[in-house]
Amino acid sequence: MVFDPLSGSLWMEYAPGPARPALEGSVETEVAVVGGGIAGLCTAWELARAGHPVVLLEADRIATGVTGHTTAKLSALHGQVYADVKSVHGARAARLYAHSQQLAVERVAEVSEELGIDCDLERLPAYTYTEDPGQTDGLRAEADAALEAGLPASYLTTTSLPFPVAGAVRLEGQAQFHPRKYLLGLAADLERLGGRIYERTRVTRLKEGTPCEVTTERGDTVVARHVVVATHYPVFDRALLFTRLEPKRELVVAGPIPADRDPGGMFLTPDGGTRSVRTAPTGEEGRRMLIVTGEKFTPGTSEEGEVGERYARLEEWARERFGPLEITHRWATQDNWTTDRVPYVGRLHAGARHVYVATGFAGWGMSGGVMAGSLLAARIRGRDPAWTSLYDPVRLRPLREVPAMLRLQAQVAKHFVGDRTPGAYADSVADVGPGQGSVVRVGGRLLAVHRDEAGALHAVSARCTHLGCVVHFNDAETAWECPCHGSRFDVEGRVVEGPATRPLDREDVEDTRDGAD
C-alpha cells in the first residue's frame, strides 16, 4: 500500500529549544548521565538540584527519542500490573510499586509548579477497561490488587467513553502532559544549576572503575565517579539485560475532535493488541486532539501485516468508536518489557559499584522515568528508598523469569538462524520497487536494500551491529529494524535507536532493474 506519513509526533512540533554543543575533548565530573530522555534528564536534574556536578550526554537532541514520541500519560495505573506484581513479588512489593509510581505523578506536578513550566498538565482519572465480558474477572482482580496496594482504585461497568464497556478499573488523581515542554524546562533549570548538556554525542564505550570513563564515537571522554546509563535499551551488554528485555513498538494516530467529544480521561484496554486513548489541547477553542495508540508488535516483524496496514487498522478503530476523524499526525513509540513486569532501575550488574541503569518501563516511561530519576539520584547520594530492591536489575526470580527468558531467547534464535536461510528475501535487487526495502542476497552477502521514490538504491549490511541479527524493513517509517533487540537504522545505515551504537556498513550494489542506468 502507498503510505502517507503525514506529520510526525505531536510533541515534536514544539520548539526544540537551544542547540547544545557536542562534547569535544575530555571533561571530568562527579556524575555522567548517558541519555537525554525523561529518565536521564530527571536523574541529572535531581542530582544537580542537590548540588552534585553532572554532565549529560545525548546521541541526538534531548527529549527527541522515545520521550518525544510517547503518549505522555502520567499514571500509576499500568494496565493490569498490580495483580501480577502481587503474585510474583508479594503484596508488599505491589504497595511499594504503587507508592513509588504515584509519587512520580505528584513529582511532575510539584516540579512544574515550582519551576513555572507550562507543560499542559491536566489532572484526570485513568482507566483500564475491556469490551469483552470474558475478561472482566481479571479487571475485578486488578481493582482489588490496586486497592490493596494503597491506590484509590474502583471497579466500574460504565465509563465516559462513547461506547459501552464490559468492565473497567478507575484510578483518580492521575495526569497527562506535554513531555517535551516539561523536559525542556527541566533542562534549562539543570543548566542554571551548573549541569552541562552535550548533544550529538553518542557514547560507545564504558570503562568501569574509580573513576569510570565513557568514550564517544569520536574518541572524546568523560571521567566521572558515577555513570548512569539511561539510553532506553542499555547500550552496554555486560549486564546481559538483553536476555531479559523484550522490545515492543506501538503506533500512534491523532487528529482534532470537538471538545464535547472528549471522553475526559486516559483509557487503556488490552483488547485487540492494546488500545490507548487520551486527548490534548490544540490551542483552538472548542477543539481537542484525540490521541490513539495501539497495534503493539516486535520491531522488525510483520506477522500481522505491514506497518502501514497496522496504521490503517488503528485509524479504523478510532473512527468506529469516536466518529468522523481526520488523522493529522502519525508516529510510533517503542519500549522494553522485563521478564517480571517491573522496570530495571539500579546497579548495571552484580559487580557494579558506580554504574547504574534505568530501563524496561513497559510502556509507562513517563511515571517510570521520573521514578527512576528520583531513585538513582537517591542511590548515588547514599540513600536507599524502600523500593530499591524491587527495581534492582540484579534481582532474578527463577520461577517467573526463567521461562520468559527462555521464550525470548528462542525468539532471538529463530531470527538469528532462520533469517539467514535462503529464500526468505527478495531474489534480486531488481525486485525492490520504489519506496520499498528488502534484504537481498548478493554474492553471498545479505544486504538491506531500499529503493527511494526516485528509483535510487541505498544498500547497507543487513546484519545488526549489536549482535548480528538480520534487520527487516519498516515500510511506514522507512527504517531498518532488528527483530532480536529492537535496534533501528535509517536507510543510510545510521543508528536511530539502540542498543546498537555503530551504523550498518554502506555497501555498493549494481542495479539490475530493466532501464536502470
Side-chain angles (χ1 to χ4, degrees), residues 12 14-21 33 35-38 40-41 56-68 179-180 182-188 190-191 196-201:
M12 293 299 292
Y14 183 65
R20 276 84 178 183
V33 177
I38 191 166
L41 279 165
L56 184 143
L57 308 170
E58 164 56 39
D60 191 2
R61 300 291 305 277
I62 60 171
T64 61
V66 173
T67 298
R180 278 177 48 76
Y182 178 73
L183 290 177
L184 292 178
L186 209 64
L190 167 63
E191 292 175 315
R196 289 174 283 174
I197 298 175
Y198 295 100
E199 297 181 324
R200 313 292 192 191
T201 301

Side-chain angles (χ1 to χ4, degrees), residues 76-78 80-86 94 97-98 101 142 145-146 149 151:
L77 185 64
H78 296 173
Q80 295 173 263
V81 73
Y82 289 101
D84 207 14
V85 170
K86 179 183 176 182
Y97 187 97
Q101 296 293 328
E142 179 63 15
L151 298 174

Side-chain angles (χ1 to χ4, degrees), residues 42 54 70 303 326 351 386 494:
C42 286
V54 180
T70 176
E303 290 89 345
E326 178 190 0
R494 293 180 290 256

